[in-house]
Amino acid sequence: MKFVRPASVEEAVQVLASAPGRARVLAGGTDLVTLLADRGADVVVDVKRIPGLGDLVADHGGVTIGATVTMRDLEPLAGHRRLAAVVDGARVVGAPQTRRRATAVGNVCRASPAGDTLPALLTLSATATVVGTGGMRAIGLSEFFRSPGVTALADSELVTSLNIPAAGGAAAYQRLTYRTSLDLAVVGVAVAVEVADGIIVDARVGLGGVGPTPLLAHQTADVLVGTDTEDPDALADVLVEAGRVAAHECTPRDDVRGTAAYRTRAVSVLVGRVARTALARTDTHDVA
Amino acid sequence: MMSPNDLSATEVSVSVDGHAAASRVPSTRLLLDYLREDRGATAPKWGCGTGDCGACTVVLDGVALDSCLVYAAECDGSSVMTSAGLETTPVGIAATEELLAAGAVQCGICTPGFLVTIVSGVGDLGPSPTREQIVELLSGNVCRCTGYLPIIEAVQRLAARVNGG
């Protein structure tokens, strides 16, 4: 295994292109190091010393998360009522030791169906900025995840940042696990809502752990839109209905963390719970 | 024997507990193995090898992390502190005293990792942290024999002592 520390994105892309399919990008390494112990690689490209990739730039509700920004680095975004959904996920990844090393871009590139930041990034319409030998392109995250561990990235391509566009409203993410730390989500749910005059005017629902990739539950989101949040009974009914629809938008499978039936039931409960958290956050003000 | 031109080896210069040294290491060498076998710094322990138990926790350039999930090659130019280095600092001495006073040590395999986590994290806890805050700090370190209650008690007392409670 050859270890390379490129000084620029261009150099990193050249190294990746020189060993198609046999080179791996290393940022935090909290997943990759153990994966490589099993599978190996010809070249490991450590991108941590490339200038600029550690930048986290937030302005007016949008944010750019560089490739080497860690889960811990995202903490300041908790003060923003939409971006807090990503922090909800980042805060439950692994343990403090892993969160200081693991990166958000790494979580995306790992493409685990249960990745904790992925449902929130999906609901916030995040895109990945990608650089390859053919130049730069943006890939929407809803197009990015193909199957467990498989992404839309070409062999020579490197994700340089994630970009979350500015928008209104608030969002939240919660997951179900058997223990708080060092566990993977059985299911994870993110909900983003925008409320005007008490009515939900826009909604997006992201689900994790219930299919081969994290996914957007469009029909569930449609159920939420139009709801009068100031009518407690109507809201309660809609949240139950949203959970019921979400259960139909899942394709979970049985595994060591739970049966498909359990996951389906858990998602239907979590959708309502997370929607309430997101709605509660619409009443808060962003912390500068 | 590695050839000096071996592309699978990398030149690294790392300061370990204040002692700098340069050497050539295989690119697959984990920081934990490098510390223990190349540098004789045996305070960090091999536990799970997958970042779950925290027995290998060290401070790398100011960040407490699992040294079993880091390649030595990533650490060129870096500074590593193990529990052996940290336990001689004022906070480390206080932490050691509180762990002993609370009876928070049994077989000792987990202790170096706990000590690194505690010493590097206690400053953020304030003088009177909640139990939840302490549990959160310690959540990446696993103990299979002493149990967590004495360790939590030790951190409570340490936080009050070093953060002016």
Side-chain angles (χ1 to χ4, degrees):
Chain A
M1 190 176 92
K2 186 180 169 189
F3 191 90
V4 183
R5 273 193 304 252
S8 68
V9 170
E10 292 68 29
E11 194 186 323
V13 166
Q14 280 168 14
V15 174
L16 291 172
S18 72
R22 292 177 289 113
R24 299 298 297 265
V25 175
L26 173 69
T30 53
D31 264 329
L32 189 68
V33 171
T34 53
L35 282 175
L36 291 182
D38 293 336
R39 300 178 198 171
D42 289 357
V43 184
V44 168
V45 185
D46 182 358
V47 297
K48 281 192 293 293
R49 300 186 188 201
I50 297 177
L53 293 193
D55 293 350
L56 176 67
V57 182
D59 48 15
H60 307 298
V63 66
T64 299
I65 301 168
T68 61
V69 170
T70 68
M71 297 297 183
R72 171 70 175 250
D73 293 336
L74 296 177
E75 284 282 332
L77 302 182
H80 189 286
R81 56 194 181 177
R82 281 175 80 249
L83 304 175
V86 181
V87 184
D88 289 340
R91 274 181 176 156
V92 294
V93 169
Q97 284 95 322
T98 25
R99 292 196 282 275
R100 292 190 196 98
R101 189 75 173 174
T103 64
V105 167
N107 207 216
V108 167
C109 292
R110 174 71 178 84
S112 164
D116 279 306
T117 61
L118 310 186
L121 289 167
L122 278 172
T123 63
L124 301 181
S125 306
T127 59
T129 298
V130 171
V131 178
T133 46
M136 183 182 284
R137 64 176 177 140
I139 308 175
L141 284 201
S142 53
E143 319 296 321
F144 191 85
F145 306 114
R146 294 286 171 86
S147 60
V150 178
T151 70
L153 284 178
D155 284 339
S156 75
E157 286 183 323
L158 173 75
V159 177
T160 53
S161 67
L162 299 171
N163 307 85
I164 301 173
Y173 169 82
Q174 288 173 37
R175 65 175 189 175
L176 174 72
T177 47
Y178 298 105
R179 54 166 298 185
T180 309
S181 289
L182 298 163
D183 205 351
L184 300 181
V186 181
V187 298
V189 173
V191 176
V193 287
E194 194 162 354
V195 177
D197 299 326
I199 308 293
I200 299 177
V201 293
D202 192 24
R204 289 168 74 84
V205 177
L207 306 179
V210 291
T213 67
L215 57 101
L216 279 172
H218 297 286
Q219 294 164 42
T220 308
D222 289 345
V223 170
L224 296 174
V225 174
T227 304
D228 182 353
T229 61
E230 288 164 9
D231 179 344
D233 293 338
L235 178 61
D237 288 347
V238 165
L239 295 185
V240 169
E241 173 64 6
R244 198 186 64 76
V245 171
H248 287 285
E249 286 194 271
C250 298
T251 54
R253 58 174 201 175
D254 298 337
D255 72 12
V256 66
R257 288 194 177 72
T259 62
Y262 179 61
R263 285 195 157 93
T264 304
R265 177 85 184 115
V267 157
S268 68
V269 173
L270 268 187
V271 162
R273 209 176 276 175
V274 179
R276 282 191 188 279
T277 305
L279 286 168
R281 282 183 182 164
T282 62
D283 293 333
T284 63
H285 291 283
D286 289 340
V287 180
Chain B
M1 186 72 188
M2 240 182 316
S3 111
N5 296 319
D6 188 346
L7 285 177
S8 69
T10 305
E11 186 79 23
V12 296
S13 173
V14 182
S15 163
V16 178
D17 293 330
H19 304 287
S23 56
R24 233 173 137 67
V25 297
S27 297
T28 52
R29 191 83 151 155
L30 297 174
L31 175 59
L32 175 58
D33 290 328
Y34 166 80
L35 290 171
R36 292 180 57 83
E37 293 171 26
D38 296 6
R39 299 297 297 272
T42 55
K45 299 292 184 271
W46 250 110
C48 62
T50 55
D52 290 305
C53 80
C56 67
T57 305
V58 299
V59 176
L60 172 65
D61 295 330
V63 176
L65 44 69
D66 298 308
S67 59
C68 72
L69 297 181
V70 177
Y71 293 118
E74 294 176 69
C75 305
D76 184 40
S78 293
S79 164
V80 174
M81 290 297 285
T82 74
S83 62
L86 292 173
E87 73 186 13
T88 64
T89 64
V91 179
I93 291 166
T96 306
E97 287 171 359
E98 295 301 344
L99 285 165
L100 286 170
V105 177
Q106 196 163 317
C107 88
I109 284 285
C110 73
T111 308
F114 269 105
L115 190 86
V116 173
T117 295
I118 291 166
V119 170
S120 63
V122 69
D124 294 332
L125 289 178
S128 50
T130 64
R131 187 178 186 283
E132 286 67 33
Q133 287 174 302
I134 297 171
V135 168
E136 165 71 18
L137 171 67
L138 302 178
S139 64
N141 292 80
V142 171
C143 167
R144 297 286 92 149
C145 57
T146 302
Y148 302 95
L149 297 181
I151 302 176
I152 291 166
E153 185 192 323
V155 175
Q156 257 159 352
R157 296 171 63 93
L158 178 70
R161 184 168 156 189
V162 303
N163 296 327

